[in-house]
Amino acid sequence: MEEVVSTLVNVLMMSPDYQTFCNCQKCRNDIIAISLNTLPSHYVTTEDGRKMVYEQLNTQENRAWINKRIISAIHLVGKYPKH
């Protein structure tokens, strides 16, 4: 889940819709942490397990579901930055 969220945060923060939000590493880390706290954990111990979970999460429906939580976190951090 962490890999997917980190990647999606980086992609979303580069989009024109979020250019007005702070793009510093502190804010990105806060967005990732808040997003991960609102999403279920997916722990794996092998590379095969990581690939299987990634494939399950990397569907259009799941990405949209994850994006909603990331967008909420972006707005929350944008409203209450910690710097």
Side-chain angles (χ1 to χ4, degrees):
M1 184 63 80
E2 188 174 350
E3 287 180 49
V4 173
V5 169
S6 295
T7 301
L8 289 174
V9 166
N10 288 331
V11 169
L12 283 171
M13 294 302 287
M14 286 190 275
S15 74
D17 296 335
Y18 301 104
Q19 292 297 310
T20 59
F21 291 89
C22 180
N23 202 13
C24 74
Q25 194 60 48
K26 172 71 174 143
C27 287
R28 279 181 187 247
N29 289 341
D30 287 345
I31 291 166
I32 292 168
I34 291 168
S35 300
L36 288 171
N37 283 330
T38 63
L39 293 164
S41 302
H42 293 278
Y43 299 108
V44 296
T45 58
T46 64
E47 185 64 25
D48 289 338
R50 187 190 73 74
K51 288 177 184 176
M52 184 182 73
V53 169
Y54 184 81
E55 288 172 10
Q56 290 173 352
L57 294 174
N58 199 25
T59 64
Q60 185 175 359
E61 183 178 294
N62 283 334
R63 282 194 313 267
W65 177 69
I66 294 167
N67 277 342
K68 287 180 184 178
R69 276 124 186 105
I70 293 171
I71 290 167
S72 294
I74 290 170
H75 287 281
L76 182 64
V77 171
K79 189 172 183 179
Y80 303 104
K82 295 200 176 182
H83 55 68

